[in-house]
């Protein structure tokens, strides 16, 4: 791997006088434990009297449940219960997933187990609980459900046609949500523009394929009416709240524990019907119940994402100025809006983000979110960013091509200048501080752009067709209460951290933002070590347990560093202040004369060592009788952080892709990929690079390989790893990453977040690179995933 070019636009002040860890490539805090197989995932947990549940799921896209025959299944060996939707509805209330600020949004009530109708292939209908998973699977074969197949709504293109059946007649139509945005004078600008280019962009449904599938263990204690749920989840406090509301419990009686989580990507930030059903079974049976999705049912029960058709156009003048964007976005979300974040958010993000990096002043957008009889869609890594970026950057390349301007130069001319912030984008988004110009300068140098263009020209003369594609991007992170709270969703925008000095001198930090494999525990250890002033070896991190960690929003929207990290910093700095106060009381010296240095109290003037943290802990816990009367030795503090200054904090960056297209086979070879990322303050360069590279690979999966294919009856045709393509290591290019740092001023730490930006930009960069290669044939493809078949069709070699 080539060493990345590094650039720093501005830096924050040091966190402490002895900052050793923040900004350093420190190895992951608990990697060794996982590498040695000592992790604790949900399926590793075995509780006494535990039952195992499997679900009979609808085999068709839309059906009326006529009758359920379960007598034989109930008599099978080991079977503890067979529960249907009517029984489950007696203890678990239905839900409707809408947000108040999304005016006009609607969805039908949804149940933990379908009662009268099942509305997608994979919707749970009957639960079978047995003493072992094998026994439950055996009994499942004897569940006999009589159903009447109903006409499905499959195509989002015809979902709103008068002749199309209504999935939920009580709603009046198949429209979940619609939004229009018009800043004015758009028609006039397009009418008078020198250049207008329009194109329709297609995006295929795909899903997150996590190493660990969705799973949970629900353990209900009838004696004290308490519920403990072991979960593979991103937002434990959110689930705690939902279980309380759906089952009539109080927060003090519900504990959600998320130990090790084997990947999430947004797939595990939602509340699924089988989540509630598993808890309901534990309540009904008074014993622990485990649910672990197998890989096949994951494809039809996990959320999907990104099924969009976007008609877009761009206006520009001969001088090379972008004047306006316009889009019309149609997206299909399945039969229900997903609970509690809602399925309209992705399309709403597309509206907000199209054209985001550029300084045009005219923009119009239309969004229709429609119901279908397919698996529900909802937030998945990037949440609208890859779609908005691909549409924006595809149109930008088409305009540059028509104007005969180099695409990199065209972007340089039109991005919002680095000295223009803070500002408001054309869609109304508020932008604090970004670095588009600097990122473009860095990537041009990284890739040696003039030499690459020369190589491309020379190879084209030899019949080798290579392309270069760019994607300038913005990514929203660190959402404020204006994201979910304003709409009535009880999803915390704040997070809290507790920092404690133990008697041994070790610092323990408890934080609600969990570890999903992305390295948050590592950066929290770095922040704590510098914030308190100890060795990182003397830091312990505890996450993912609602009974011990402060209340918080969890892991999503790249908020782990920017929100969770800031809470850790504030708590640890407050703990250091208390340690210094206690040291002053012990030594009978003014606090201003003392400093913390590597787990020891020093004399500020002479730097002489005065008191180790072990002695601070001993006296603070066991010999408070030696302290002045009335002095309180507070060696455990909690601090909270909410990002309030902006609705979101935005990061930015630019990516470039270099590909080769074989015009005879349509195959695309990824040769090289570059990314310049501005995630604010870089807390751990190695982890950020891992995040960016991993996200890029996921984005490449969407643009080249991944798609959930349905037939005309609404059945998933490729719901297995034998048929659903994901990126493999041997297909991936070398990915070179560099950083520009413009820390946010909304926090002391200055971190913005980096988890999703790679996924946001990669599809656009690869798409544009492929079309750059195909420009030799006056051909292009804007329908993702871009498969060999689609390329050959664009070349006129397939009908």
């Amino acid at each position: 791997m080539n060493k990345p070019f590094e650039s720093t636009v501005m830096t924050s002040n040091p966190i402490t006088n002895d900052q050793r860890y923040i900004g350093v490539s420190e190895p992951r805090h608990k990697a060794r434990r996982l590498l040695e197989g000592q992790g604790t995932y949900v399926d590793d947990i075995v509780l006494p009297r535990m039952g195992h549940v499997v679900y009979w799921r609808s085999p068709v896209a839309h059906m009326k449940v006529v009758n359920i025959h379960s007598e034989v299944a109930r008599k099978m060996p080991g079977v503890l219960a067979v529960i249907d939707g009517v029984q489950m509805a007696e203890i678990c209330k239905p839900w409707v997933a809408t947000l108040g600020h999304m005016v006009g949004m609607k969805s039908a009530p949804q149940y933990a187990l379908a009662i009268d109708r099942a509305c997608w292939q994979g919707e749970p209908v009957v639960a079978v609980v047995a003493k072992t998973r094998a026994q439950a699977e055996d009994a499942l074969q004897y569940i006999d459900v009589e159903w009447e197949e109903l006409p499905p709504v499959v195509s989002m293109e015809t979902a709103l046609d008068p002749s199309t059946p209504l999935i939920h007649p009580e709603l009046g139509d198949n429209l979940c949500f619609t939004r229009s945005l018009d800043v004015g004078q758009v028609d006039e600008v397009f009418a008078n523009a020198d250049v207008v280019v329009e194109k329709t962009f297609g995006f295929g449904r795909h899903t997150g394929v996590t190493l660990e599938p969705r799973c949970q263990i629900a353990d209900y204690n009838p004696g004290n009416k308490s519920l403990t749920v072991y979960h593979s989840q991103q937002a434990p406090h959110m689930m705690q709240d939902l279980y309380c509301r759906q089952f009539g419990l109080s927060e003090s009686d519900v504990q959600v524990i998320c130990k090790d989580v084997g990947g999430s990507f947004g797939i595990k930030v939602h509340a699924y019907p089988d989540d509630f059903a598993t808890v309901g079974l534990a309540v009904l049976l008074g014993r622990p119940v485990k649910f672990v999705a197998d890989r096949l049912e994951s494809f039809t029960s996990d959320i999907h994402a990104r099924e969009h058709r976007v008609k877009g156009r761009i206006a520009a003048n001969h001088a090379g100025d972008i004047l306006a964007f316009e889009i019309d976005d149609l997206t299909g979300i399945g039969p229900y809006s997903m609970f509690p974040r809602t399925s309209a958010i992705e399309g709403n993000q597309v509206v907000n983000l199209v054209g985001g990096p550029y300084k045009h002043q005219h923009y119009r957008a239309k969004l229709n979110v429609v119901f279908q009889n397919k698996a529900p869609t909802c937030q998945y890594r990037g949440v609208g960013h890859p779609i908005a970026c691909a549409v924006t950057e595809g149109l930008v390349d088409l305009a540059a091509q028509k104007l005969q301007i180099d695409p990199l130069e065209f972007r340089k001319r039109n991005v919002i200048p680095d000295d223009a912030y803070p500002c408001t984008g054309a869609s109304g988004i508020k932008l604090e501080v970004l670095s588009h110009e600097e990122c473009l300068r860095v990537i041009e140098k990284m890739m040696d752009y003039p030499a690459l263009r020369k190589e491309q020209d020379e190879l084209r003369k030899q019949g080798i067709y290579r392309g270069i594609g760019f994607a300038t991007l913005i990514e929203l992170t660190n959402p404020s209460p204006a994201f979910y709270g304003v709409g009535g969703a009880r999803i915390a925008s704040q997070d809290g951290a507790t920092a404690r000095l133990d008697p041994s001198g070790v610092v323990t930090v408890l934080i609600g933002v969990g570890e999903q494999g992305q390295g948050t525990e590592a950066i929290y250890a770095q922040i704590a070590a510098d914030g308190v002033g100890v060795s990182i070896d003397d830091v312990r991190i505890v996450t993912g347990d609602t009974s011990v960690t402060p209340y918080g929003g969890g892991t999503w929207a790249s908020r782990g560093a920017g929100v969770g990290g800031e809470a850790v910093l504030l708590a640890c700095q407050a703990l250091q202040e208390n340690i210094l106060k206690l040291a002053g009381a012990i030594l009978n010296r003014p606090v201003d004369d003392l400093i913390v240095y590597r787990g020891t109290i020093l004399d500020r003037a002479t730097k002489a060592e005065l008191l180790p943290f072990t002695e601070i802990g001993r006296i603070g816990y066991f010999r408070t009788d030696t302290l002045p009367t009335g002095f309180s030795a507070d060696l455990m503090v909690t601090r909270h952080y909410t990002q309030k200054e902006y609705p979101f904090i935005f990061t930015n960056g630019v990516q470039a892709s270099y590909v080769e297209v074989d015009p005879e086979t349509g195959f695309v070879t990824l040769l090289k990929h570059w990314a310049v990322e501005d995630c604010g303050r870089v807390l751990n360069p190695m982890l950020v690079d891992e995040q960016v590279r991993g996200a890029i690979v996921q984005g490449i999966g969407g643009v080249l390989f991944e798609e959930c294919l349905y037939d005309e009856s609404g059945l998933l045709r490729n719901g297995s790893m034998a048929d659903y393509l994901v990126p493999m290591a041997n297909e991936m290019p070398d990915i070179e990453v560099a950083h520009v740092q413009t820390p946010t001023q909304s926090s002391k730490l200055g971190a913005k977040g980096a988890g999703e930006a790679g996924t946001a930009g990669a599809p656009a960069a690869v798409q544009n690179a492929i079309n750059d290669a195909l420009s030799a044939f006056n051909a292009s493809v804007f329908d993702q995933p871009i498969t060999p078949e689609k390329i050959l069709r664009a070349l006129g070699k397939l009908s």
Side-chain angles (χ1 to χ4, degrees):
M1 188 69 65
N2 294 333
K3 183 178 180 181
F5 179 91
E6 303 247 356
S7 175
T8 301
V9 171
M10 70 188 208
T11 58
S12 298
N13 293 326
I15 298 300
T16 67
N17 292 322
D18 181 30
Q19 182 180 316
R20 292 175 289 156
Y21 299 107
I22 295 175
V24 175
S25 292
E26 183 71 23
R28 289 183 182 235
H29 204 47
K30 293 187 176 180
R32 187 178 185 89
R33 175 178 63 85
L34 297 176
L35 289 171
E36 292 178 350
Q38 299 301 311
T40 303
Y41 298 91
V42 170
D43 203 33
D44 296 322
I45 300 170
V46 178
L47 302 179
R49 300 177 61 248
M50 186 168 71
H52 298 258
V53 61
V54 297
Y55 292 100
W56 191 95
R57 299 179 182 273
S58 173
V60 295
H62 198 190
M63 73 176 191
K64 178 181 178 181
V65 180
V66 178
N67 209 338
I68 299 172
H69 303 283
S70 59
E71 296 81 7
V72 176
R74 294 175 192 274
K75 297 176 183 178
M76 292 289 289
V79 171
L80 300 171
V82 177
I83 303 295
D84 61 25
V86 174
Q87 295 167 289
M88 186 60 66
E90 293 178 0
I91 62 167
C92 180
K93 295 181 290 187
W95 58 89
V96 177
T98 57
L99 289 173
H101 65 300
M102 303 186 80
V103 179
M105 184 183 182
K106 59 184 185 285
S107 186
Q110 189 175 4
Y111 291 83
L113 296 175
I115 299 177
D116 299 318
R117 290 183 306 131
C119 293
W120 82 90
Q121 179 196 17
E123 183 172 5
V125 179
V126 184
V128 178
V129 187
K131 293 180 179 179
T132 69
R133 174 68 181 245
Q135 290 173 329
E137 294 278 7
D138 287 344
L140 188 69
Q141 310 308 311
Y142 291 91
I143 297 294
D144 181 13
V145 178
E146 295 180 38
W147 78 79
E148 176 188 333
E149 192 161 358
L150 301 174
V153 179
V154 180
S155 170
M156 64 182 181
E157 300 281 357
T158 60
L160 299 180
D161 291 354
S163 59
T164 299
L166 299 184
I167 298 175
H168 305 291
E170 68 273 23
L171 298 182
D173 55 31
N174 290 325
L175 182 66
C176 171
F177 176 67
T178 186
R179 179 189 174 193
S180 295
L181 173 64
D182 190 340
V183 303
Q185 298 183 307
V186 174
D187 287 330
E188 179 182 344
V189 170
F190 272 97
N192 296 321
D194 296 324
V195 168
V196 174
V197 180
E198 57 185 61
K199 188 63 65 175
T200 297
F201 299 79
F203 300 87
R205 264 183 183 244
H206 49 283
T207 186
V209 184
T210 57
L211 286 175
E212 180 195 29
R214 289 190 303 109
C215 47
Q216 67 183 124
I217 300 172
D219 184 9
Y220 182 73
N221 186 330
N224 57 15
K225 296 184 179 181
S226 65
L227 172 68
T228 301
V229 181
Y230 298 88
H231 225 316
S232 181
Q233 240 279 344
Q234 295 173 240
H237 282 103
M238 180 194 82
M239 294 307 300
Q240 177 195 43
D241 177 74
L242 293 179
Y243 292 143
C244 290
R245 288 194 283 153
Q246 297 310 118
F247 292 96
L249 303 170
S250 65
E251 287 89 350
S252 59
D253 294 328
V254 178
Q255 179 183 19
V256 177
I257 302 172
C258 298
K259 292 182 177 289
D260 294 310
V261 176
S264 49
F265 315 129
I267 297 299
K268 298 176 181 176
V269 78
H270 312 291
Y272 291 82
D274 46 44
D275 287 337
F276 295 119
T278 302
V279 170
L281 293 167
V283 173
L284 287 170
L285 298 177
R287 64 195 299 164
V289 176
K290 176 186 282 190
F291 165 65
V292 179
D294 65 33
R295 187 62 68 187
L296 294 177
E297 70 180 321
S298 289
F299 276 103
T300 57
S301 66
D302 290 357
I303 62 105
H304 296 174
R306 314 220 213 285
E307 184 175 6
H308 289 251
R309 188 271 294 132
V310 183
K311 296 177 181 177
R313 61 176 182 157
I314 186 174
N317 61 26
H318 286 315
D321 299 312
I322 296 173
L323 305 175
F325 284 92
E326 182 178 17
I327 65 163
D328 184 336
D329 183 13
L330 173 67
T331 178
I333 62 163
Y336 299 98
S337 172
M338 196 70 181
F339 194 50
R341 296 167 186 268
T342 82
S343 301
I345 289 292
E346 183 177 82
N348 200 57
Q349 298 283 66
V350 174
V351 171
N352 289 336
L353 296 171
V354 164
Y358 298 103
K359 57 187 178 184
H360 62 286
Q361 296 298 309
H362 301 281
Y363 178 51
R364 182 163 60 202
K366 172 72 174 177
L367 168 69
N368 278 334
V369 180
V370 300
F371 295 117
Q372 332 152 272
N373 293 113
K374 295 181 180 178
T377 72
C378 208
Q379 287 89 320
Y380 164 61
R381 194 172 192 172
V383 193
H385 294 71
I387 297 150
C389 187
V391 171
T392 301
E393 295 302 290
L395 292 172
V396 166
D397 260 24
L398 289 170
Q401 185 181 46
K402 194 164 186 178
L403 289 166
Q404 296 184 324
I405 299 175
D406 179 87
L408 181 59
E409 293 302 318
F410 192 53
R411 286 170 171 82
K412 287 181 180 179
R413 180 177 180 87
N414 284 284
V415 293
I416 300 172
D418 293 356
D419 61 2
Y421 296 97
C423 69
T424 301
S427 69
I429 54 176
K430 295 182 179 180
L431 305 168
E432 178 199 13
V433 55
L434 300 177
S435 57
H436 294 305
E437 291 178 315
E438 178 66 11
C439 287
L440 287 168
R441 285 192 290 267
V442 172
I443 205 164
E444 183 176 16
K445 183 176 180 180
M446 281 174 67
M447 62 194 295
D448 195 357
Y449 183 58
L452 205 63
R453 281 293 184 197
K454 182 179 179 181
E455 177 183 277
Q456 179 193 31
D457 292 340
E458 291 173 350
L459 290 172
R460 187 164 291 186
K461 295 172 185 176
Q462 303 171 33
I464 298 172
Y465 299 95
R466 293 185 175 182
I468 304 167
F470 291 98
T472 306
L473 63 104
I474 57 174
E475 178 211 0
L476 61 85
T477 68
N478 302 359
S480 74
F483 196 34
Y484 285 120
V486 70
R490 294 161 64 91
I491 301 169
S493 56
Q494 60 88 48
D495 258 279
T498 296
R500 181 183 72 220
L501 180 68
D502 295 332
S504 62
V506 169
V507 174
T508 298
V509 175
L510 302 96
I511 172 86
V513 181
E515 174 66 61
Q516 315 283 309
Q518 78 277 49
T520 51
E521 289 188 1
I523 63 168
Y524 295 157
Q526 291 175 266
I527 294 167
D530 281 352
V532 179
V534 296
S535 167
I536 199 168
D537 294 330
D538 290 330
V539 176
R540 303 291 180 267
I541 305 295
V542 177
T543 67
D545 186 337
T546 59
S547 288
V548 298
T549 62
Y551 206 97
T555 303
W556 48 278
S558 302
R559 66 192 297 280
V563 177
E566 187 71 9
V568 171
L569 176 65
L570 295 176
C572 289
Q573 288 184 327
L575 177 60
Q576 188 192 74
E577 291 178 8
N578 287 357
I579 289 171
L580 284 167
K581 291 176 183 177
L582 179 54
I586 295 170
L587 297 169
N588 195 25
R589 296 185 57 169
V591 173
D592 290 344
D593 291 351
L594 308 175
I595 60 172
V596 171
Y597 185 77
R598 306 191 180 187
T600 304
I601 304 299
L602 305 185
D603 181 283
R604 181 183 295 275
T606 66
K607 303 301 185 292
E609 296 185 3
L610 302 177
L611 205 62
F613 274 20
T614 51
E615 187 66 4
I616 295 282
R618 184 187 72 82
I619 296 174
Y621 286 109
F622 309 124
R623 291 306 310 275
T624 52
D625 58 303
T626 64
L627 300 175
T629 301
F631 184 88
S632 177
D634 298 320
L635 295 179
M636 182 172 178
V637 297
T638 299
R639 294 291 183 270
H640 292 81
Y641 173 73
T642 303
Q643 193 282 118
K644 297 179 180 178
E645 296 186 29
Y646 292 85
F648 309 95
I649 296 299
F650 277 88
T651 73
N652 71 278
V654 61
Q655 294 183 32
S657 180
Y658 191 38
V659 307
E660 184 175 314
V661 178
D662 185 342
E664 298 303 316
T665 65
F667 274 83
V668 175
T669 302
L670 301 163
L671 302 172
K672 190 70 180 284
H673 201 98
W674 298 267
V676 179
E677 168 74 6
D678 184 349
C679 61
R681 186 174 193 158
V682 176
L683 305 182
N684 186 319
M686 179 174 63
L687 287 181
V688 173
D689 287 358
E690 287 180 14
Q691 282 285 286
V692 172
R693 289 192 181 98
I696 287 171
V697 170
Q698 212 152 12
I700 289 173
V703 70
L704 290 182
F705 304 112
E706 299 185 49
E707 185 173 16
C708 297
L709 298 169
Y710 282 82
D711 65 18
E712 293 180 354
S713 62
L715 298 183
L716 186 63
R717 293 161 45 201
N718 62 333
S720 76
M721 294 305 294
D723 301 306
Y724 183 89
L725 299 180
V726 294
M728 305 295 284
N730 64 329
E731 297 162 330
M732 292 301 99
D734 184 24
I735 302 172
E736 190 173 334
V737 181
H739 303 285
V740 170
Q741 298 187 62
T742 55
T744 173
Q745 300 304 302
S746 68
S747 67
K748 291 183 177 182
L749 200 58
K752 296 177 179 178
E756 299 174 297
T759 302
V766 173
Q767 165 195 272
N768 286 348
I770 291 171
N771 287 330
D772 186 44
L774 294 177
S775 65
F777 304 95
N778 195 29
S780 60
V781 182
F782 291 96
D783 186 13
Q784 298 182 21
I786 301 175
T787 62
E789 179 184 4
K790 293 174 184 176
I791 290 174
L792 291 176
R793 187 173 288 115
L795 292 170
K797 298 184 178 183
L798 288 177
S799 59

